[in-house]
Amino acid sequence: MARDDLTPGPAHRRGRLRVYLGSAPGVGKTYRMLDEARRRQERGADVVVGYTECHGRRHTENMLQGLDVIPRAQRTYRGTEFTEMDLEAVLERRPSVVLVDELAHTNIPGGRHAKRWQDVEELLAAGIDVITTVNIQHLESLNDVVQKITGIPQRETVPDEVVRRADQLELVDMAPQALRRRMAHGNVYKAEKVDAALSHYFRVGNLTALRELALLWVAGRVDEGLRDYRVEHRIDRVWETRERVVVALTGGPEGETLIRRAARIADRTAGGELLAVHITRSDGLAGASPGNLAGQRQLVETLGGSYHVVVGDDIPTALLAFARAHHATQLVLGTSRRGRTTRFLTGPGIGETTVDTSEDIDVHLVTHEFSGRGRLPALGRRHSRRRTVAGYTVGPALPALLTPLLSHAGLNLTTDALVFQLGVVAVALIGGAASALLASVVASLLLNYYFIPPVHTFTITEPNNIIALAVFAVVALTVSTVVDHAGRLTARAARATAEAETLSTLAGSVLRGADALPALLEKSRTAFGMDSVALLDRTGGEVLARSDAGGEAAADREVTEVPVGESALLILAGRRLPAADHRVLTAFAAHVAAALERDRLATVAAEVEPIKAADRMRTALLAAVSHDLRTPLAAALASVGSLRSSDVEFSEEDRAELLATADESLLKLNRLVDNLLDMSRLQAGALTLHLTPTHLDEVLPRALGSLADPDAPVQPLGLAEAPPVLADPPLLERVLANVITNALRHNAPGAPVLVTASAHAERVEIRIADRGPGIPAEERDRVFLPFQRLGDTDNTTGVGLGLALSRGLAEAMNGSLAVEDTPGGGTTMLLTLPVAGPVPEPGPVPEPGEVAP
């Protein structure tokens, strides 16, 4: 988005704004800003530092050397001294360029503006160029998105428009792994804050998501700049900077084939975009099936594309105008459904016309199974049988009735011809063009016989009368055709409007309703004026849902059946539906099928969840039976067997040691049996999970008390501040005890095991970090399998079941257990559990981007 370089200018002009945008704190925005300032100073520009925040970073502070720094203003707020940018001093100094760090900062009360970006606006209005910095999480439009990702609300925000208006916008980017390494080396935060920051805000997932947000936001601004440039310079040609594929949908059965073909074309290039468009006539004549269009729209959105409806009478022109407006590079159409005879009679179709006028847009004509299977268009309007019979009856009768009336009226030939022509138009309104054609022939004959000299003969002596009769016939036929066509357009446009209003109301009622299926049935009953609507299961004949109008049902009710997917049937009882209503009814059926499928999936998901929980418990049970029982049982048997042996004489010390070993093994065995019995009852449904709000600072002491060494070096941090989790306290105690035991076993000598907790969105993350040798990435899944221990060589340090059992119990409580690297070396076990209540908002953030440990 860079424009011309920011150079000093006269005071009467508005200053230029340059923004360095970063994805997260520490990527180097301030450093880049100071580097740009030094470059401009070397070129002779008058550069001053209005405000910069180095956060104690040595390399950034070194960049300030040689720059003119405006002293900060001192302000007192609630008995505490703060420093802010001295806006008055900068305006009085009037430099060419001023550096203002942290654009989203909230000023201490007492200054001229509440926000720093407002200070910047005043500087720009004074003709001073400004270079500033901001992080992506401080943009107002992304505030809620960032909170969902990081779990931390950003109270300091800047309107997007302020950054959007920047003359130059430069993204300062850094890979998440590189930023974490920079933090681990102490180049971002002080050493005491590094571990907490890396474990919370600066996780790889958070940084990756923030980086993607920054890239997409800047890409959008680049796209806007390119579009403005093309408009400003009147560039209509397509610039293939990005593949945008437009697929034209008619609502016909070939639509799904075209959509999938266009999606494959868009997927072949990185960043390809899929757009689907349906062109509807402005007169309301959309000969498309609403049901087909609804299904095709769902398919487009499933494939990641967008669906558009454009009104236009000339379909090729409207289609190409849409494609050019969206800078499309490729256009996908289906080959014509018209046969060869139809194409010969009616000329080139939409596809051929679009290809001829597409210019620099590539057009793909995709063949499909419906190509060339269309029929000849109907020459007249399809009226009801009653109106058709009435038209053919009135066609010859009306001119015959007008003849004696005009004969006795004594009017001239011109007036007689106009009256006959009016009768032909009336016949066209009644029965259509075909009956009007018959009426015009009869009127021509009667006009010739009774009104054109010599009368009572079909002979015409005057050439003028021959021309007049011919013109009458042509005009009568033309006017009747136009009237018939206009009537058809009016009727179909009115119907299309009614259909659109019905479908719009349908969508709104479904979206507002808590249960979609009853709302759909009730809407379909009222929309079609039926007595009752029922959704019937085809296999068992069961009524899945029903809507009745109430009152007594008529004995002669008509029943209409519409398939809903493959498993259900929509039954409408009441009046006889005309054929035209079946098109809208198909759209209703499509909505009902979608709602039915959604209900079915929700039911299946609810049924599968207990099975998944039982399967997790079964896995944990089998793992424990296969290994954990064996070790203490073998130790107890060996000790008891040695004591009972008469071949060896044991001293009192040896006897006491054997008894202690047996006692310890039997106690361990007793605890395992209790656990296994609880899990077996849980898996069988006899013991339910007691998920209650549980405070971590209450469970951890009990877990530590159950360790073999209750005085083991374990350091808890932040457990009291964490919100309560939804868990079963005894199960959570066992999980923590197992994971902490594993961490102590592999921890570095003398180093404590760190147990921390923090809330992120609707989850609480508990981290148990050690300083041991760590676990290679390819081995992390194996540590949760039974019989697996680090190295798998020392059978005295554990039986290799604790982590497998802990993961099973965590998942049974709707949580998870995973492995991460400890910053600086070691292994961190990440236990995630749902929050029992609302997540409390963190305390005030002292500086933008600063993360409280």
Side-chain angles (χ1 to χ4, degrees), residues 1-7 13-20 40 96-100 103 116-117 119-121 123-125 127-134 158-170:
M1 284 184 63
R3 302 180 186 176
D4 297 335
D5 194 14
L6 304 181
T7 55
R13 71 157 176 85
R14 179 178 173 85
R16 296 189 176 185
L17 176 64
R18 179 169 187 157
V19 177
Y20 286 97
R40 296 191 184 204
S96 300
V97 182
V98 61
L99 309 186
V100 182
L103 183 63
R116 184 165 293 165
W117 64 265
D119 295 340
V120 169
E121 286 292 312
L123 291 171
L124 294 172
I128 301 174
D129 295 341
V130 178
I131 305 178
T132 186
T133 66
V134 69
V158 59
D160 290 43
E161 188 59 29
V162 174
V163 183
R164 205 186 292 263
R165 290 198 305 262
D167 297 271
Q168 290 191 41
L169 176 63
E170 183 172 338

Side-chain angles (χ1 to χ4, degrees), residues 437-587:
L437 177 61
L438 175 62
S440 65
V441 171
V442 174
S444 300
L445 294 174
L446 293 175
L447 188 64
N448 181 17
Y449 191 81
Y450 288 102
F451 300 97
I452 296 178
V455 296
H456 301 123
T457 66
F458 290 105
T459 302
I460 303 176
T461 57
E462 294 290 335
N464 290 337
N465 292 336
I466 298 177
I467 296 174
L469 184 61
V471 170
F472 167 79
V474 172
V475 171
L477 181 60
T478 302
V479 171
S480 61
T481 303
V482 171
V483 170
D484 175 72
H485 184 64
R488 183 169 72 253
L489 294 184
T490 301
R492 295 185 63 181
R495 178 165 188 83
T497 302
E499 291 176 357
E501 291 177 354
T502 301
L503 293 175
S504 175
T505 307
L506 165 68
S509 62
V510 171
L511 291 175
R512 288 189 296 269
D515 195 348
L517 198 55
L520 280 168
L521 295 185
E522 175 65 19
K523 191 62 186 176
S524 61
R525 184 187 63 77
T526 56
F528 294 102
M530 307 302 286
D531 295 333
S532 66
V533 177
L535 186 64
L536 193 67
D537 186 1
R538 284 186 175 183
T539 55
E542 177 187 359
V543 177
L544 304 176
R546 187 181 186 90
S547 174
D548 293 297
E552 296 184 1
D556 57 345
R557 293 191 305 172
E558 292 284 345
V559 176
T560 304
E561 298 182 357
V562 181
V564 177
E566 299 179 355
S567 60
L569 203 63
L570 192 63
I571 309 294
L572 297 93
R575 67 185 181 91
R576 186 183 187 87
L577 288 178
D581 281 343
H582 283 270
R583 187 172 64 173
V584 182
L585 186 57
T586 303

Side-chain angles (χ1 to χ4, degrees), residues 24-86:
V27 295
K29 303 179 301 301
T30 304
Y31 188 94
R32 293 281 291 276
M33 178 182 68
L34 293 171
D35 183 63
E36 175 66 15
R38 294 168 70 92
R39 183 180 69 84
R40 296 191 184 204
Q41 189 180 58
E42 292 173 358
R43 290 185 346 204
D46 182 14
V47 181
V48 301
V49 178
Y51 183 93
T52 186
E53 188 60 67
C54 297
H55 297 289
R57 299 163 190 167
R58 177 170 52 86
H59 299 292
T60 306
E61 291 174 346
N62 292 338
M63 295 295 292
L64 281 170
Q65 296 179 5
L67 294 176
D68 187 4
V69 180
I70 300 292
R72 299 185 184 182
Q74 298 287 333
R75 294 199 178 98
T76 303
Y77 181 66
R78 294 183 178 178
T80 305
E81 291 290 332
F82 296 93
T83 62
E84 289 286 3
M85 180 178 70
D86 194 338

